[in-house]
């Protein structure tokens, strides 16, 4: 097969004997969803290369296409003697817990949510912090005083992005309006685009999306405006990965920045700890700004000006010092905003 | 007042944009169903169109640039869509397959082939974002008409207007030309058509392939205006909505146009509703289901009974009756 | 002698049936050649072979003396052969003109030149005296006019040899007369006609020669002028047939069905039955005579609960059945032999046995509380099949694969067997051969003699005259005359049906 | 729409063989090892009791969604709305399972019945609109799918939970998980629903083939005019049929709600259980036995497919292609019959010719 993932050519190195057999089970997106599944897979591949391992021998993945396949896939990898298996996405929480309790000798890690069990490590990210920082960037970039947020499905996880973002915007300038909408889908690009269009039409100039494939629609709308008028002040803020490429249109780019969630970093970190004999079973690992688990992309140098960058840096420090407590829910956000006034 | 015009300014272009792929696909459906072949595979035809258009777009953009690429992509997608639909024709016309089953198979097959080939070509489950997507423009002259100009002709797509014009062309073809007369006779009473020497099976092949052509174009336009790439979820239900538009529009090209526009309008109303102060306080779920509920009300209240082509769904077996 | 058509030793098989076994048919130029045979004898099959719809297993066809191989209707068309099928080949939703030009449309640019086509249709229809409205939708015109459209279709394509498969089965007496005139004028223009019909008097009045087919075999070709109806009938059936139905004087008793001032609208919301009054008594057959479209269907549908009545009264055994559900009406003692046996009479994809309990399946003994009792259902069918001489391989054969005559016998068996107080029979013998007609007529009289009320609707005057004890003439939704058959004649009835009496009656 | 019955079992079997052959050819063309691919497929479905259990678990809702589509089809109705009916049935079963606390003898049947009712109502609406206003059931059911999708999400978010993305787990008293089955196929999610599904298939068969109601429903499907003439109520049967069809679908939803998952999450899109049901029903010739077998085939292919990339490097989309081809071949069974006919005719022609020494032309 011409499977692009495999690098089955001759290797000029010897597999490291300390390595463990590690795998991931993705949710619906698959390992090239340009989002956290892909990021997780990149982390695993990096591990494979570092330790000079063969794909499917020592590391591999199973893609789920439906909710009901998570358990099957986790069990499948377990039965193939994987020693450490990552469940990518909060949707796998139940499946990871179940399978982990059935297989106490195998180690599991759940990304994006907290699972119970001594043989399960939970990996979470402080998305609200990253979202806060891109909110700061949005507020600084906005000329109209209106910015937008497009969520996928209205759910606690996405609300975390929303709350952080709004808090960031309001921290810079409480008078800036934030138009928050949900596509109620992570795949319907048509809806994403329509929402974006209606936002840009109503003078919103920066949109942060946390909507997966529906977010593609936000990019297509922004790019269309930009293609018609290269001076137009429309921006998209990407999510999960650096979505700079997605924003490229002719000679310019509409991606202001992205809230990057380094699942790859986390995956490699958990594997390393396990190899070292420190598997964080039963623990919750929270990756955030300090450890590079969450970061803000600065690829679009032209748009993401030094001024913005330095302001973002200021706020980042405030968060890290604990001067600012970023809200994670809508209730916390309310309190946060009323404190600002 | 100006607020109202602003809202129209926002809703209409967005409704048109959303309706366009539906119009194309529904017109294809009209061809197929007018000839007597149920086409539940419109979804699959759109998937095939989206897949081909994205691949062509990715491959040709560096060579053709941003003006030509989208059009070439749509054209190729339409042609491949037509060829792909011929499978449905072979099954249902030549081999008298149950038309619903064959349509379902088309849906499975399109997604399977699309994703399988994406994996073979790019080594991953979905493509990169395209650079040569469709771009909106202001239509010269027409954009200057007061009030209407900005609403309908500013920041619009040529494909939108192509779709509207095509609906009328299809109407002309189906209701005015010998081809159309024959097509309809084949869908209504194939034995009558056969007895005057019309090759029923050939007409049905042509009609089904036309549905693939239009459905492919519809899928392509969807991918090039909205998604910008191809993946598992790029086309998720638009084909079924287009099928509904065919029936809603009573198997008439202008009816299908109207149904698709209605649907686009209802959908964009529901999306934009979230931004209109008056509607802001309505729980979002009501806005989300509004397009579908409105469609049902429209059907019950305005459209009512629709008469399908008489022999829709029945294979033509010469000599039997 | 030169023949325009020669079919020699034609053999055509269907799985399990030899429909045509070495049949010969020779048609002379300018003649009307009748083809006669019982239901299922193989007439339609033979003509379908000639028209290229079926390919024969064996045999030779010559047209104008030349050997031909007719593999499709196109080729038949090119050879000047046209066919009006037993079931019309017209697209309901098209106009008359669209139907006629379909397949060989005149063009103007990309468009069908519908104006020219309409003119041409008008011209041909005037030439042969076929009155049609070129712009009317086929579904809006009468069956008679549809028939003329079919003929025009052939003439438009310049056919010289015209095949008419049972063209009169669906026509009213007036329309039949018109058709006969048309056929005569066609042969005068040099066309040749092959005419399939079960009606011997039609053959006597128009045909020059007649070929008789029995069970797929060609029996004989005779000169009609040298033959008689009884001779033709016995050749066809293989035994002597009596035409005059034997029956005694009726002894009517109390009324079973009473209809008073009934008003019924059709789908288009037009009053089709307008204040109609009718009474049918125990022990009599009342025939409703009238031209199709004068409210017969609406009347029957209203009585049987298939259509809503607007006002008036319908009493069955002195109880109102107006606007009850069909099932309730049946339970009041009504049976109905419907006009269109394929559309209403049968579920063609059900076995014969299950069709025999179509109204009663839910009752004992065919059904217990939940489930059907198939043993009873099949026994019931076995009995009816025998009593009513339904020719079917078995009770579990699908109704679809029975011939029309046998389908009709199955329906009649089912309806009569329920021992109704009122039996409504609409066109019960349409398209059937004389043997079957005889059988059905006998059954209806038997029912009358058992004291049942029979309401007969037929467009065939002979049938009305033969069977009825009383004839009610319907015209524009009203009963305009009530006469005894022996006190009237066909001509008078024809006039009454055309409405000539109406003004006098009112005056 | 003509209902086509398959003549004998050989056509599906030949179709499956053709489909698998076509799949093998595709694998060869793209440089995969077909044998390894199919072994991986088989192992993925059956290798250990665990996977067998998972395959059965997958088959369970398929049987029911297939029956749902088939039931409507028997009455001449195309129920594309099974998808939505599954969702509301799922929600209903979880609602009963989480919100009540009752003894199992009441709780479990109640959850099942409420799911059936919910699906039934969701199916009844298009049936009612069709009977009453003659609007085509295809559009209404498509619209009802979307209404179900968004409404169910909203109810999970706002009614069953406080803005959460997932409901509580259903109470054990409402769960279909039974220990003897889990012991048989350890750790798998196989649950007692499979028994319910098979009982439903039996019910389907009995209802359609043996009862007077089935007699009516089929009659209406074959010929509404004759049914009306015979005193059956066409409208009532349309509503009844859609409601019962929806009931099967609702039960399919309960299989996920109180069988497989034991909870419900916000849905990003459709479950595909309903859409696959269309293929399963028609593949199974709309008969009870056929649907069960077709659901079995689907379950095996789907579950086995998951193992193909892992064990043989074959993309699992290939199985979608194979499935589609099998459906095509079954649908186009006339092709297979024709092939046989042609062969026979060729043979007899040849015999005739050699006997007579020439054509009869
Ligand atoms: N398509 C067919 N398939 C199988 N058998 C057929 C087919 N068409 C006709 N037959 C059989 O062939 C025989 C002749 O049928 P045909 O229709 O020619 O009779 P017919 O003389 O026209 O009868 P009728 O007076 O009822 O029209 C019948 O036994 C019939 O069952
Ligand atoms: N596809 C078919 N398969 C088997 N038999 C068929 C088929 N088509 C027609 N037939 C047979 O052809 C014969 C003639 O059919 P046809 O409908 O002409 O009968 P009919 O007596 O003329 O009835 P009607 O008077 O209603 O036209 C019937 O016996 C019917 O069984
Ligand atoms: Mg005949
Ligand atoms: Mg006949």
């Amino acid at each position: 097969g011409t499977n692009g993932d495999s690098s089955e050519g001759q290797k000029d190195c010897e597999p490291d004997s300390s390595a463990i057999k590690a795998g991931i089970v993705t949710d619906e997106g698959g390992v090239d969803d340009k989002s956290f599944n892909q990021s997780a897979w990149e982390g695993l591949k990096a591990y494979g290369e570092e330790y000079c391992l063969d794909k499917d021998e020592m590391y591999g993945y199973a893609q789920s296409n439906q909710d009901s396949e998570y358990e099957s896939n986790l069990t499948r990898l377990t039965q193939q003697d994987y020693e450490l298996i990552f469940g990518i996405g909060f949707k796998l929480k139940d499946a990871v817990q179940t399978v982990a309790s059935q297989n106490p000798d195998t180690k599991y890690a759940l990304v994006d949510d907290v699972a119970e069990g001594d043989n399960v490590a939970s990996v979470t990210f402080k998305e609200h912090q990253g979202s806060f920082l891109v909110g700061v960037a949005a507020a600084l970039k906005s000329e109209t005083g209106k910015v937008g947020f497009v969520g996928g499905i209205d759910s606690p996880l996405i609300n975390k992005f929303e709350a952080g973002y709004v808090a960031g915007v309001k921290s810079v300038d409480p008078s800036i309006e934030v138009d928050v909408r949900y596509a109620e889908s992570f795949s319907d690009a048509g809806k994403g685009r329509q929402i974006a269009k209606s936002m840009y039409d109503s003078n919103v100039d920066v949109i942060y999306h946390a909507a997966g494939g529906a977010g593609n629609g936000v990019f297509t709308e922004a790019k269309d405006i930009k293609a018609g008028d290269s001076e137009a002040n429309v921006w998209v803020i990407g999510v999960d990965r650096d979505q700079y490429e997605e924003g490229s249109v002719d000679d310019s780019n509409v991606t202001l920045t992205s809230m990057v969630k380094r699942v790859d970093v986390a995956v490699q970190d958990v594997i390393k700890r396990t190899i070292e004999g420190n598997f964080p079973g039963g623990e919750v690992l929270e990756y955030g700004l300090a450890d590079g688990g969450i970061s803000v992309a600065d690829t679009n140098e032209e748009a993401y000006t030094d001024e913005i960058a330095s302001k973002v840096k200021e706020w980042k420090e405030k968060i890290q010092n604990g001067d600012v407590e970023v809200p994670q829910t809508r209730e916390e956000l309310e309190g946060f905003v009323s404190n600002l006034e | 007042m100006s607020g109202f015009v602003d809202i129209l300014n926002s809703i209409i272009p967005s409704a048109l944009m959303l309706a366009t792929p539906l119009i194309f696909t529904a017109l294809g459906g009209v061809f197929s169903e007018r000839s007597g072949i149920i086409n539940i595979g419109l979804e699959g035809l759109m998937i095939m169109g989206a897949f081909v258009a994205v691949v062509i777009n990715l491959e040709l953009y560096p060579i053709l640039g941003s003006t030509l690429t989208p059009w070439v992509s749509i054209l190729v997608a339409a042609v491949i869509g037509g060829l792909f639909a011929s499978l449905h024709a072979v099954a249902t016309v030549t081999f008298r397959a149950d038309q619903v089953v064959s349509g379902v198979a088309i849906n499975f097959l399109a997604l399977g082939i699309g994703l399988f080939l994406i994996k073979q070509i790019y080594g991953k489950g979905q493509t990169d974002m395209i650079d040569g997507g469709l771009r909106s423009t202001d239509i010269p002259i027409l954009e200057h008409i007061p009030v209407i100009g900005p609403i309908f002709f500013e920041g619009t797509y040529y494909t939108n207007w192509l779709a509207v014009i095509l609906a009328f062309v299809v109407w002309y073809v189906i209701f005015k030309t010998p081809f159309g007369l024959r097509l309809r006779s084949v869908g209504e009473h194939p034995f009558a058509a056969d007895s005057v020497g019309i090759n029923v099976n050939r007409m049905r092949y042509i009609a089904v392939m036309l549905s693939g052509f239009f459905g492919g174009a519809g899928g392509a336009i969807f991918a090039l205006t909205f998604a910008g790439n191809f993946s598992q979820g790029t086309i998720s239900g638009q084909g079924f909505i287009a099928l509904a538009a065919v029936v809603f529009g009573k198997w008439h090209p202008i009816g299908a146009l109207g149904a698709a526009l209605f649907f686009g309008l209802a959908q964009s109303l529901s999306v934009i509703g979230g931004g209109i102060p008056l509607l802001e306080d309505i729980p979002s779920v009501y806005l989300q289901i509004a397009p579908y509920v409105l469609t049902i009300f429209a059907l019950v209240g305005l459209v009512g009974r629709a008469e399908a082509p008489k022999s829709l769904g029945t294979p033509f077996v010469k000599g039997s009756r | 002698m030169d023949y325009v058509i020669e079919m020699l030793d034609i053999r055509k098989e269907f799985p399990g049936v030899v429909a045509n076994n070495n049949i010969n048919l020779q048609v002379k130029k300018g003649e009307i050649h009748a083809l006669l045979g019982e239901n299922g004898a193989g007439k339609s099959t033979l003509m379908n072979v000639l028209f290229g719809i079926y390919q024969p297993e064996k045999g030779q066809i010559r047209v104008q003396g030349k050997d031909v191989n007719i593999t499709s209707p196109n080729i038949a068309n090119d050879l000047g052969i046209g066919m009006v099928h037993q079931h019309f080949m017209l697209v309901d939703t098209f106009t008359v003109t669209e139907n006629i030009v379909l397949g060989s449309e005149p063009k103007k640019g990309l468009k069908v030149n519908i104006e020219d086509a309409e003119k041409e249709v008008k011209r041909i229809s005037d030439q042969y005296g076929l009155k049609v409205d070129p712009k009317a939708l086929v579904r809006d015109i009468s069956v008679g006019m549809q028939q003329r459209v079919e003929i025009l279709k052939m003439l438009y394509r310049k056919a010289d040899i015209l095949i008419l498969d049972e063209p009169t089965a669906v026509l009213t007496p007036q329309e039949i007369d018109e058709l006969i005139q048309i056929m005569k004028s066609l042969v005068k223009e040099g066309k040749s006609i092959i005419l399939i019909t079960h009606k011997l008097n039609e053959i006597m009045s128009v045909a020059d020669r007649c070929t008789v087919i029995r069970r797929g075999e060609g029996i004989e070709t005779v000169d009609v002028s040298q033959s008689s109806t009884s001779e033709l009938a016995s050749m066809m059936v293989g035994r002597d047939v009596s035409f005059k139905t034997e029956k005694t004087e009726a002894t009517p008793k109390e009324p079973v069905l009473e209809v008073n001032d009934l008003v019924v609208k059709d789908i288009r919301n037009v009053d089709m039955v307008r204040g109609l009054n009718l009474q049918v008594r125990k022990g009599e057959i009342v025939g409703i005579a009238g031209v199709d479209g004068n409210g017969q269907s609406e009347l029957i549908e209203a009585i049987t609960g298939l259509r809503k009545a607007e006002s008036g009264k319908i009493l069955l055994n002195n109880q109102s059945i107006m606007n009850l559900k069909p099932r309730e009406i049946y339970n009041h003692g009504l049976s109905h032999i419907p006009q269109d046996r394929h559309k209403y009479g049968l579920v063609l994809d059900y076995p014969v046995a299950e069709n025999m309990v179509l109204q009663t399946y839910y009752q004992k003994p065919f059904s217990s509380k939940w489930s059907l009792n198939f043993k009873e259902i099949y026994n019931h069918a076995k009995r009816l099949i025998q009593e009513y001489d339904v020719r079917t391989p078995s009770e579990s054969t699908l109704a679809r694969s029975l011939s029309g005559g046998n389908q009709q016998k199955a329906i009649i068996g089912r309806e009569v067997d329920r021992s109704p107080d009122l039996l409504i029979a609409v066109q019960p013998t349409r398209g059937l051969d004389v043997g079957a007609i005889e059988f059905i007529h006998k059954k209806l009289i038997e029912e009358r003699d058992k004291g049942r009320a029979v309401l007969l609707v037929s467009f065939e005057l002979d049938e009305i005259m033969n069977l009825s004890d009383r004839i009610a003439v319907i015209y524009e939704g009203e009963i305009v005359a009530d006469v005894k058959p022996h006190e009237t004649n066909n001509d008078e009835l024809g006039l009454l049906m055309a409405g000539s009496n109406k003004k006098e009656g009112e005056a | 729409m003509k209902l086509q019955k398959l003549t004998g079992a050989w056509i599906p079997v030949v179709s499956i063989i053709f489909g698998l052959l076509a799949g093998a050819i595709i694998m060869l063309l793209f440089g995969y090892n077909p044998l390894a691919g199919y072994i991986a497929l088989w192992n993925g479905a059956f290798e250990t009791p665990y996977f067998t259990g998972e395959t059965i678990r997958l088959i369970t809702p398929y049987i029911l969604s297939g029956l749902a589509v088939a039931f409507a089809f028997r009455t001449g109705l195309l129920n594309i709305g099974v998808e939505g009916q599954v969702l509301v049935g799922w929600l209903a079963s979880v609602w009963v399972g989480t919100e009540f606390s009752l003894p199992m003898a009441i709780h479990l049947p109640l959850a099942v019945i409420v799911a059936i009712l919910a699906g039934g109502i969701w199916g009844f609406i298009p049936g009612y609109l069709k009977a009453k206003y003659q609007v085509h059931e295809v559009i209404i059911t498509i619209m009802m799918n979307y209404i179900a999708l968004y409404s169910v999400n909203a109810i999970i978010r706002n009614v069953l939970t406080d803005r959460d993305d997932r409901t509580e787990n259903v109470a054990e008293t409402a769960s279909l998980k039974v220990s003897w089955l889990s012991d048989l196929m350890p750790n798998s999610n196989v649950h007692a629903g499979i028994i319910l599904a098979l009982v439903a298939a039996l019910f389907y068969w009995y209802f359609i083939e043996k009862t007077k109601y089935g007699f009516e429903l089929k009659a209406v499907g074959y010929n509404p005019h004759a049914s009306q003439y015979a005193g059956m109520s066409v409208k009532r049967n349309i509503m009844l049929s859609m409601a019962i069809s929806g009931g099967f679908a609702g039960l399919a939803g309960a299989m996920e709600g109180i069988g497989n998952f034991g909870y419900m999450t916000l849905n990003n899109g459709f479950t595909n259980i309903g859409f696959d049901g269309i293929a399963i029903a028609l593949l199974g010739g709309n008969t009870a036995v056929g649907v069960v077998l077709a659901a079995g085939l689907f379950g095996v292919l789907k579950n086995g497919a998951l193992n193909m990339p892992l064990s043989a490097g074959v993309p699992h989309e290939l199985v979608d292609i194979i499935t589609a081809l099998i459906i095509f071949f079954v649908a186009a069974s006339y092709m297979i019959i024709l092939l046989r006919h042609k062969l026979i005719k060729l043979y007899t022609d040849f015999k005739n010719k050699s006997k007579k020494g020439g054509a009869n032309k």
Side-chain angles (χ1 to χ4, degrees), chain C residues 14 17 19 38-45 54 86 166 198:
Chain C
F14 292 112
V17 200
E38 283 184 290
N39 292 125
K43 308 176 294 291
S44 300
T45 304
Y54 296 147
Q86 192 169 348
E166 288 193 48
H198 293 300

Side-chain angles (χ1 to χ4, degrees), chain C residues 100-285:
Chain C
I100 291 171
V101 300
L102 180 63
S104 31
E105 305 84 359
K107 276 195 237 173
K108 188 166 85 189
L110 293 171
K111 238 176 100 181
V112 178
N113 190 342
I114 209 77
E115 295 79 22
D116 272 12
E118 278 166 1
K119 271 184 222 139
E120 177 69 3
V121 168
K122 192 97 189 81
R123 189 188 66 74
I124 306 175
S125 96
D126 288 346
Q127 185 187 344
Y128 294 95
L130 300 153
K131 286 162 279 172
V132 295
D133 172 4
K135 292 184 177 167
L137 282 183
V138 161
R139 69 164 159 218
D140 293 339
I141 63 179
S142 70
V143 179
M145 200 190 280
Q146 292 183 1
Q147 179 98 62
R148 296 200 290 276
V149 174
E150 284 280 20
I151 295 172
L152 273 171
K153 241 161 100 177
M154 299 190 292
L155 297 174
Y156 179 84
R157 288 172 169 70
K158 308 206 163 33
D160 288 323
I161 302 146
L162 312 181
I163 305 167
L164 301 173
D165 192 351
E166 288 193 48
T168 60
V170 290
L171 299 186
T172 62
Q174 279 80 2
E175 287 169 337
I176 293 176
D177 285 344
E178 281 171 27
L179 179 63
I180 289 178
Q181 291 315 312
I182 292 166
M183 287 195 284
K184 284 183 174 161
S185 76
L186 286 168
V187 285
K188 231 180 264 152
E189 300 270 335
K191 316 262 179 201
S192 316
I193 296 178
I194 303 175
L195 170 69
I196 300 182
T197 178
H198 293 300
K199 294 179 191 162
L200 300 171
N201 55 354
E202 283 168 14
I203 295 181
M204 298 313 290
S205 64
V206 289
D208 300 305
R209 298 193 304 146
C210 175
T211 296
V212 181
I213 303 180
R214 191 163 72 217
R215 306 222 170 107
E217 315 258 353
I219 299 299
E220 209 183 324
T221 301
V222 294
D223 261 338
V224 171
S225 57
Q226 313 283 305
S227 184
S228 67
T229 45
S230 52
E231 191 196 352
L232 287 177
S234 55
M235 270 200 282
M236 167 172 84
V237 186
R239 61 182 165 85
D240 284 342
V241 201
S242 74
F243 288 101
K244 197 71 195 164
T245 324
E246 301 291 329
K247 66 172 199 207
T248 55
E249 193 63 31
T251 49
K253 301 200 183 67
E254 70 273 18
V256 173
L257 174 74
E258 283 173 276
V259 177
N260 296 323
D261 296 326
L262 185 70
V263 178
V264 188
K265 290 185 192 303
D266 70 358
I267 323 171
R268 296 162 301 174
N269 226 15
V270 177
D271 283 355
M272 290 302 284
V273 175
R274 304 169 189 165
L276 182 140
N277 292 294
L278 179 71
Q279 199 180 58
V280 188
R281 287 168 298 176
K282 264 192 171 173
E284 72 168 348
I285 299 178

Side-chain angles (χ1 to χ4, degrees), chain C residues 327 330 336 338 342-344 346-347 349-350 354 358-359 361 367-372 374 414-415, chain D residues 2 206-207 209-216 218-219 222-223 225-232 360-361:
Chain C
R327 179 168 291 175
Y330 287 132
H336 174 199
H342 286 173
K343 188 166 173 192
Y344 291 107
L346 296 166
V347 175
D349 293 300
Y350 266 176
E354 295 182 17
L358 213 52
Q359 293 103 334
Y361 63 92
S367 170
S368 56
K369 196 164 171 24
W370 289 92
S371 50
L372 296 170
F374 284 100
R414 176 180 77 202
E415 297 306 312
Chain D
K2 270 263 143 62
Y206 180 77
F207 192 91
E209 303 295 343
K210 298 291 169 195
T211 70
K212 50 190 180 192
Y213 307 104
F215 183 88
E216 269 196 29
K218 280 185 296 176
Y222 284 132
N223 186 347
H225 302 287
S227 308
Q228 192 203 1
Y229 150 86
M232 307 169 189
N360 52 5
K361 279 254 161 104

Side-chain angles (χ1 to χ4, degrees), chain A residues 5-318:
Chain A
D5 298 331
S6 51
S7 41
E8 268 145 54
Q10 288 294 326
K11 287 209 189 70
D12 41 16
C13 57
E14 280 294 305
D16 192 319
S17 58
S18 68
I20 55 168
K21 188 168 177 181
I24 64 175
V25 174
T26 73
D27 72 0
E28 279 89 348
V31 292
D32 22 51
D33 65 346
K34 307 201 174 112
S35 183
F36 59 90
N37 284 318
Q38 178 167 340
S39 185
W41 177 234
E42 281 165 2
L44 194 62
K45 275 198 299 190
Y47 156 71
E49 271 156 35
E50 188 184 335
Y51 284 76
C52 196
L53 307 174
D54 285 328
K55 179 176 173 276
D56 291 336
E57 284 291 311
M58 286 299 285
Y59 69 102
Y61 72 91
Q63 179 179 336
S64 315
N65 306 300
Q66 259 157 29
D67 292 351
S68 61
E69 291 171 5
Y70 303 145
E71 266 191 54
S72 293
N73 279 334
L74 287 167
T75 305
R76 190 160 275 130
L77 293 190
T78 306
Q79 298 197 350
Q80 296 191 355
D81 299 323
Y82 279 81
E83 291 158 85
L84 173 61
I85 303 168
F86 290 84
I88 311 298
F90 70 98
K91 292 183 110 183
L92 278 85
K93 174 175 170 176
D94 289 277
V96 168
Q97 277 180 180
T98 311
V99 176
S101 69
Q102 290 164 354
N103 302 282
D105 297 336
T106 308
K107 299 183 178 68
Y108 298 88
L110 175 67
V111 174
D112 256 7
D113 207 340
V114 179
E116 274 151 38
D118 290 340
N119 55 338
V120 188
S122 299
V123 175
T124 61
F125 291 88
K126 297 176 181 161
E127 292 98 348
H128 51 296
Q129 296 183 345
S131 298
F132 184 97
L133 295 182
V134 296
V136 169
L140 293 170
K141 194 73 190 172
S142 176
E143 292 171 2
T144 58
K146 267 175 109 178
V147 298
F149 173 82
V150 178
I153 290 186
D154 191 352
S155 56
L157 181 71
I158 305 301
N159 292 165
K160 201 164 146 192
F161 290 72
E162 176 197 328
Y165 176 68
V166 177
V169 173
K170 299 279 184 188
S171 301
V172 175
D173 178 354
S175 72
I176 296 182
E177 267 181 66
V178 188
D179 190 350
V180 174
R181 307 240 208 118
Y182 283 83
E184 204 55 19
S185 161
F186 285 107
S187 54
D188 190 341
K191 268 213 176 140
R193 176 151 191 196
Q194 278 199 315
I195 294 176
K197 178 165 171 44
S198 118
M199 284 184 174
Y200 287 130
D201 278 351
S202 66
N203 276 337
V204 165
D205 51 6
V206 186
I207 299 178
Y208 174 37
H209 91 88
N216 285 353
V218 179
F219 279 102
T220 45
E221 175 64 24
K223 280 155 73 175
D224 185 63
I225 297 174
K226 195 80 177 176
D229 172 10
S230 55
E231 298 303 306
N233 196 41
V234 289
W235 304 104
V236 184
I237 298 174
V239 77
D240 287 347
R241 288 174 67 256
D242 183 356
Q243 292 196 299
Y244 180 74
E245 265 175 43
E246 275 83 341
S248 114
V249 50
D250 300 334
D251 296 328
S252 50
N253 194 303
V254 295
T255 305
L256 172 63
T257 174
S258 299
M259 200 287 287
V260 181
K261 200 165 134 180
R262 299 296 301 269
V263 182
D264 52 342
V265 171
V267 165
Q268 290 184 72
D269 184 42
V270 174
I271 295 176
K272 279 226 177 88
R273 292 192 198 202
T274 309
I275 289 174
E276 288 159 6
N278 301 325
F279 173 69
E283 288 174 37
V284 179
L285 306 178
E286 265 202 296
Y287 293 87
L289 297 171
D291 44 35
I294 292 282
S295 66
V296 174
D298 54 6
T299 328
N300 193 345
E301 284 165 15
E302 215 174 303
Y304 193 75
T305 55
D306 290 343
E307 191 202 336
I308 297 177
S310 62
K311 267 274 162 36
V312 166
K313 204 167 162 223
E314 268 172 41
W315 283 99
K316 183 177 168 185
E317 276 154 19
K318 282 188 201 167

Side-chain angles (χ1 to χ4, degrees), chain A residues 179-182 194-195 198-199, chain B residues 7 10-11 14 264-288 290-291:
Chain A
D179 190 350
V180 174
R181 307 240 208 118
Y182 283 83
Q194 278 199 315
I195 294 176
S198 118
M199 284 184 174
Chain B
I7 290 172
S10 182
I11 287 180
S14 140
L265 196 67
Q267 172 95 337
S268 53
L269 254 179
S270 84
V271 166
I272 286 160
I276 297 175
L278 199 68
L279 301 175
E280 237 169 13
D281 295 332
I282 299 178
S284 61
V285 60
Y286 294 119
L287 292 174
Q288 275 149 11

